[in-house]
Structures are given as C-alpha cells and as structure tokens.
Amino acid sequence: MKDIGAGVIITGCGSATPRQILTNDDLSQMVDTSDEWIRPRTGIKTRHLASIDNSLAQLGAKAASDALLMAGLKASDIDLIVLATSTADDLFGSACQIQSLLGASRAVAFDLTAACSGFVFGLITVAQFIRMGVYRNVLLIGGDILSRWVDWSDRNTCILFGDGAGAVVCQGSDEGDRLFGFEMCSDGTLNSYLNLPYQGQSKPLVNELSVAQGGYQLISMNGREVYRFAVAKVPEVIEKALFRAEMVIEDLDWLILHQANQRIMDAVASRLNIPNEKVISNVAHYGNTSAASIPIALDESVRKGKIKPGDRVAISGFGAGLTWGAAIFQWGK
C-alpha cells in the first residue's frame, strides 16, 4: 500500500460542538437512570446537543475552517470536500452546503454514509483520489446530529449519543505516503443490531398504482450484541491494517477508537496489549458522536500537544451497517 503514486499527508484538523450540554443528572430527570448507573457502564458524563438553531452544515463548516487554518490553506485551495454523516440537514446531502458556507468555489462536494465508521471510510476514500493524482487538497469532515433521531424516552440509547463535527485536511505529497495501511469491512446480516429505519405507508395514486411515503423511525440498538461485535471485530481489523502497513502494535504511538463506550475501548486496547496511556478517550465529555467522534478526539489531542507531528496513529470506526474499519497514518507534515 506504499508508493502507489502521490502520497497522502494529514496536515490540519478542527472540530466543533454545540453549546448545549446535557449531563447525566439532567438525564435522570427525564428517564429512570442516574449518573451512578451511566458512568460505570459507558464512561459518559456529558454530551453536547444541537438546538433548533444549529445545523450540521454550520458545525461542519466551523470544524473545516479550523482545519484549513492549521494546514495553512484557504477555502479556494480545496479541490474536494467529503462529508461523512448519517444525519444530513438535507436528505440529498449537506456537503454542498458546507462548500457554500466555506466559499470553497473550486471544490466538488459530496456526502458519504457509513454511520460510525464514516470518518475511517471517508479517509480511505479521499486517499484514493489523492493517490491517483485527481485531487491535491481535500477536506474530510465527519459530523452527526444524532439527537434528532434519539428516542428520548429510551434509557438504553438516550444516554449514549451527542452531536458534533470534526475535520481534517488531507494533501498530496511527493515525499512519501503517510497513510500506511487500512482495512474496511461490513456485514449486512447484522443490520438489525443498530439501525434507523425508514417506514412508509401505502399512498394510492391512480389506476391501482401506489407509492410508499413516510419517514425515518428513531434509533434502535441491541447494545449487548453491538458490544460483542465491537470487542471481537475491532482488534482484528486493526491488526489487518497494521499488517498491510508492515507494522506491529509496538510501532504505534496512539490509538483513537470510535468513542462509543469506554468499556469497549478498554476491552479493545486490552486485547491488542496497548497500554492505556496510548489510548485517546474523550467519550466522557461528548458521548457517541458517530462519524464525528474520531476527528474530534484527534483535534483535541493535537491542540493539547499530546499528538505531535511524526506520531503514528491507528484509528478504528465501527457501527451501524454493520460496518467497521481501521487506518494507520502518521500525523502532520
């Protein structure tokens, strides 16, 4: 997976979250739960929630602007914008709205949907455009507003999810490839474990013709099965990505997993024999932000000086589909 053509480097990152914060104590006033129940099982203390005034496009544009600033680029330098999301403001997609908000007039923009694996799948996707020499400067955004689709009366799911967006700038390089290896997987037979299904009703038209019109239901999840799936599959997919990168666990400086549940992250790190001090976690403050969780965690760690240029990072996303994947890269120029 090396020296395929133009190399890929990740030169900037950014993130954005809504101002509203929902605590575990707040949730205890809504459903039969408590901080003492939520924190040991999930690691989550608070989550940011979008208000009626927030849009995914706005959050994505803010994260992207910060990433561009760090990379030293202007919006007019961008060739491609990919938005990984399952909760677009418009069912036809929100990437073009972000393009407009940024003023990225040269960029082509489109959405990519792979739920909580979206950022990882998106990184792998944009890398192919760069490696083939089609585009040089690419914005990848992972963002979701899951609060729109949460059943706030279901204590098993409403405690988990938050809203936000994160972004990275990926650039072509003639000095080697910093995306060392990756792996993507999916298994549709497990779709029922985590979904947000469409449900329609028959609407008669004319001459016995009819269509189905309706809307999307709220998030449904089998938490126990999702936990088992993640703990079994995520270590395996990271090891496959490492194999493709011709690296071993000990070569990694950091592991950033999709921030779904602290217990899942602890179990994965334990199976891979990665020490806790190498595992990035901010799930306590944001909850599960789906496609946004990895880039938000990356951005926080970079801006705190934890992840430094040259550090080797493994990321892994997993979730609805079911989908899962991993990528190994070196941060910075």
Side-chain angles (χ1 to χ4, degrees), residues 1-175:
M1 302 186 74
K2 300 177 181 179
D3 300 322
I4 296 174
V8 180
I9 57 175
I10 304 175
T11 59
C13 57
S15 61
T17 52
R19 291 184 179 180
Q20 288 191 131
I21 295 176
L22 181 71
T23 69
N24 290 345
D25 288 337
D26 292 332
L27 279 165
S28 71
Q29 300 176 50
M30 298 164 51
V31 292
D32 183 15
T33 191
S34 66
D35 178 69
E36 292 76 20
W37 192 93
I38 296 170
R39 273 197 298 150
R41 289 166 175 80
T42 68
I44 301 169
K45 300 177 183 178
T46 61
R47 64 288 288 149
H48 292 246
L49 300 182
S51 70
I52 192 68
D53 298 321
N54 298 131
S55 73
L56 181 65
Q58 290 169 339
L59 291 173
K62 174 62 169 67
S65 294
D66 290 349
L68 285 170
L69 186 63
M70 183 182 291
L73 296 179
K74 302 185 296 294
S76 58
D77 296 321
I78 296 299
D79 304 307
L80 171 67
I81 299 171
V82 173
L83 170 64
T85 187
S86 302
T87 57
D89 300 319
D90 184 330
L91 191 58
F92 292 149
S94 290
C96 292
Q97 292 173 283
I98 293 175
Q99 177 212 30
S100 175
L101 289 171
L102 292 173
S105 57
R106 292 181 54 251
V108 62
F110 64 86
D111 288 26
L112 178 153
T113 299
C116 300
S117 303
F119 182 78
V120 175
F121 281 29
L123 178 62
I124 295 165
T125 298
V126 303
Q128 310 318 307
F129 286 108
I130 293 172
R131 285 173 167 174
M132 293 188 69
V134 179
Y135 300 119
R136 190 78 175 179
N137 300 318
V138 179
L139 260 175
L140 170 63
I141 304 160
D144 273 300
I145 298 181
L146 288 173
S147 60
R148 294 170 172 170
W149 303 104
V150 166
D151 181 350
W152 291 102
S153 66
D154 177 9
R155 66 176 183 174
N156 294 314
T157 57
C158 73
I159 64 172
L160 300 174
F161 298 105
D163 304 330
V168 295
V169 173
C170 300
Q171 295 185 264
S173 170
D174 299 321
E175 300 178 359

Side-chain angles (χ1 to χ4, degrees), residues 11 114 133 184 187 211 260 271 286 324:
T11 59
M184 295 189 292
D187 186 350
V211 293
R271 292 198 178 197
Y286 298 98
W324 64 105

Side-chain angles (χ1 to χ4, degrees), residues 221-265:
M221 184 176 70
N222 184 326
R224 179 170 296 181
E225 292 301 330
V226 170
Y227 178 90
R228 289 176 178 171
F229 146 76
V231 171
K233 295 297 186 180
V234 173
E236 178 183 280
V237 81
I238 292 171
E239 288 176 336
K240 287 181 177 179
L242 284 167
F243 176 79
R244 292 182 181 275
E246 299 176 5
M247 296 169 63
V248 295
I249 289 291
E250 289 73 20
D251 294 326
L252 296 175
D253 296 299
W254 302 103
L255 173 64
I256 306 179
L257 299 173
H258 165 49
Q259 307 287 299
N261 182 305
Q262 188 63 50
R263 290 174 63 199
I264 292 176
M265 291 189 282

Side-chain angles (χ1 to χ4, degrees), residues 10 119-120 123-124 178-183 234-245 247-259 265 268-269 272-275 277-281 293-295 297-298 301 307-308 310-318 325-331:
I10 304 175
F119 182 78
V120 175
L123 178 62
I124 295 165
R178 308 291 171 81
L179 177 60
F180 301 128
F182 62 81
E183 185 77 13
V234 173
E236 178 183 280
V237 81
I238 292 171
E239 288 176 336
K240 287 181 177 179
L242 284 167
F243 176 79
R244 292 182 181 275
M247 296 169 63
V248 295
I249 289 291
E250 289 73 20
D251 294 326
L252 296 175
D253 296 299
W254 302 103
L255 173 64
I256 306 179
L257 299 173
H258 165 49
Q259 307 287 299
M265 291 189 282
V268 170
L272 290 170
N273 292 316
I274 294 179
E277 57 267 24
K278 287 188 174 185
V279 181
I280 302 295
S281 173
S293 74
I294 291 173
L298 173 68
S301 299
I307 296 179
K308 299 177 173 61
D311 283 357
R312 293 156 296 187
V313 182
I315 61 173
S316 182
F318 51 90
I328 317 295
F329 64 86
Q330 188 176 52
W331 165 253

